[in-house]
Amino acid sequence: MQKARFQNVLTVTAVLYALACLAAGGYVLLSGGPVVRGLGGLAGLLFLPALPLLRWVFRLKKAPLMDAVLLIFLFLAFILGTVLGWYSYIWWFDLAVHCLSGFVACALGLCLFWMVREDKRAPMGRDALAASGFGFFFSQFVAGLWEMLEYLGFLLTGHDSQNVAATGVGDTMEDMLICLAGSLVMTAAVWLHLKGKRRSFLVLPAEEFYRANYGPEGGECRANGADEAAAP
């Protein structure tokens, strides 16, 4: 019963979202606004088939309420904010959408945590600290990545949504992009190392920490320390 109700919510949300894309894109084009923004509004319709496509790629079942939340967020952030230009007209709208993105991205991070953990059939509440922490750090990753994409958009199109020219934020963005590049290399090295496909010296410091604290050597040290503490 609940799933059927959420499916109805998704159906109504999807129809309203599609109408909003057509209305916003058409309005911008017919009123002589920026062509790129008008076409972007019409292209927003592509998000509708994108969601089931992602589910098919990752072999996931439909979660109607999550899909509805994503479409509502896209409507606010993309259709109203970018296509209709509310970010420029309403001073607090950008802050409100970024705050909302923290909620949405954290929820997505929680879903991603359940997707990648080894025991996918484990109770939902198992590893609650790890799950909530994963969601938090994923939301911060999304926030940082979005700012990097905005900066790259400025370099490619000249559209200065970050006020790069006025604030000198370019150095910060370049630092973040370089950090991202290093993080991607390290992440690949960690995955290959832990899977046993290719050992990497980059992971050795962390591996030494693991062995000292959680491996056989670390376990012996903790046991000896406990015995010494219990001795009179």
Side-chain angles (χ1 to χ4, degrees), residues 186-200:
M186 184 62 177
T187 300
V190 168
W191 186 82
L192 292 172
H193 187 95
L194 296 179
K195 284 292 185 179
K197 296 184 177 182
R198 184 182 183 87
R199 290 185 59 79
S200 173

Side-chain angles (χ1 to χ4, degrees), residues 24 37 71-102 146-147 150 161:
R37 279 167 45 186
L71 290 177
I72 293 172
F73 177 74
L74 288 170
F75 167 72
L76 295 172
F78 183 65
I79 300 302
L80 294 184
T82 300
V83 177
L84 295 181
W86 282 28
Y87 291 135
S88 300
Y89 303 141
I90 304 176
W91 70 266
W92 51 264
F93 191 74
D94 181 63
L95 296 176
V97 170
H98 275 79
C99 181
L100 181 61
S101 72
W146 178 258
E147 296 302 321
E150 282 192 340
S161 60

Side-chain angles (χ1 to χ4, degrees), residues 17 21 25 36-49 78-79 83:
Y17 174 79
C21 289
V36 173
R37 279 167 45 186
L39 293 178
L42 299 178
L45 292 169
L46 296 176
F47 286 116
L48 291 172
F78 183 65
I79 300 302
V83 177

Side-chain angles (χ1 to χ4, degrees), residues 187-229:
T187 300
V190 168
W191 186 82
L192 292 172
H193 187 95
L194 296 179
K195 284 292 185 179
K197 296 184 177 182
R198 184 182 183 87
R199 290 185 59 79
S200 173
F201 72 93
L202 296 173
V203 190
L204 291 181
E207 182 179 282
E208 190 268 344
F209 170 84
Y210 172 82
R211 293 187 183 280
N213 290 278
Y214 307 112
E217 299 88 347
E220 293 172 3
C221 291
R222 288 193 301 275
N224 293 336
D227 291 342
E228 292 175 1

Side-chain angles (χ1 to χ4, degrees), residues 116-169:
V116 301
R117 68 177 176 177
E118 294 292 335
D119 187 2
K120 294 180 174 53
R121 295 298 180 183
M124 184 175 64
R126 180 179 294 180
D127 301 321
L129 181 60
S132 55
F134 192 98
F136 169 78
F137 286 113
F138 181 79
S139 70
Q140 296 306 295
F141 161 76
V142 171
L145 182 63
W146 178 258
E147 296 302 321
M148 295 180 206
L149 292 175
E150 282 192 340
Y151 178 69
L152 290 176
F154 162 69
L155 296 179
L156 295 174
T157 67
H159 177 62
D160 193 1
S161 60
Q162 294 179 319
N163 294 320
V164 176
T167 62
V169 75

